[in-house]
Amino acid sequence: SAASDVYKRQINYVFMLINKIRKFLFGKLVHFYPWYLRNIYKMDIGHNVRISWRANLDLTINPRGIHVGDNTLITRGVYIMAHDAARGIKGDVYIGANCFIGIASIILPGVHIGNNCIVGTGAVVTKDFPDNSIIAGNPAKRIKENTYI
């Protein structure tokens, strides 16, 4: 019927508006969160870094111990820890420039990840890795080296 067609068009229009608003806000939040971490928590976050608002960075004991290079992407569910209360460790975490940190990865305190590295989904990074590495596994291992992104 004509009334149901009008109703369907109105519902589709509302969903389209909601989707546009969501995309607009997401675009703003992606750039706001690194600024917030830089200025409120004094983290060393490079330029053009994208951090999912669902990523978990250590904001408690040692937030200044997190260092992220330029053009790095940190996806959702990532844990970056700069302290371990159980072992009494405080260690700075360095993530190089042009890196990609996959969903649900865990980066433990004191780890250095080189430039141009890819950390696979669900990896648990417990040690340092050089530049141009692809890292995956639990515990994380270098599965490919001399890769260029």
Side-chain angles (χ1 to χ4, degrees):
S1 81
S4 67
D5 288 341
V6 171
Y7 179 72
K8 286 179 185 177
R9 281 196 306 266
Q10 289 174 343
I11 293 295
N12 287 337
Y13 181 73
V14 168
F15 280 125
M16 184 213 37
L17 283 177
I18 290 171
N19 199 27
K20 283 185 177 183
I21 292 168
R22 184 183 61 79
K23 286 181 180 179
F24 173 78
L25 290 175
F26 178 75
K28 297 298 179 194
L29 287 175
V30 165
H31 297 291
F32 174 75
Y33 193 48
W35 176 89
Y36 176 77
L37 295 173
R38 248 184 245 114
N39 293 298
I40 303 301
Y41 288 99
K42 307 300 183 203
M43 289 183 185
D44 179 20
I45 308 287
H47 298 293
N48 198 31
V49 171
R50 292 181 175 240
I51 302 173
S52 170
W53 59 275
R54 289 183 172 178
N56 301 288
L57 281 67
D58 190 351
L59 303 177
T60 56
I61 294 175
N62 189 20
R64 293 180 186 198
I66 296 176
H67 310 273
V68 180
D70 296 341
N71 305 311
T72 293
L73 174 62
I74 299 173
T75 58
R76 71 176 177 86
V78 171
Y79 283 87
I80 301 175
M81 303 304 299
H83 82 283
D84 183 351
R87 296 186 295 164
I89 296 173
K90 278 173 59 174
D92 287 5
V93 173
Y94 293 89
I95 299 172
N98 305 310
C99 291
F100 174 83
I101 312 298
I103 295 171
S105 299
I106 300 171
I107 301 173
L108 296 179
V111 169
H112 293 246
I113 298 173
N115 297 324
N116 305 307
C117 288
I118 298 172
V119 177
T121 298
V124 179
V125 183
T126 60
K127 61 183 181 179
D128 298 349
F129 289 96
D131 293 351
N132 307 312
S133 299
I134 297 178
I135 306 158
N138 180 6
K141 295 179 180 150
R142 186 168 54 171
I143 59 174
K144 195 163 185 182
E145 56 187 275
N146 297 324
T147 58
Y148 297 92
I149 303 173

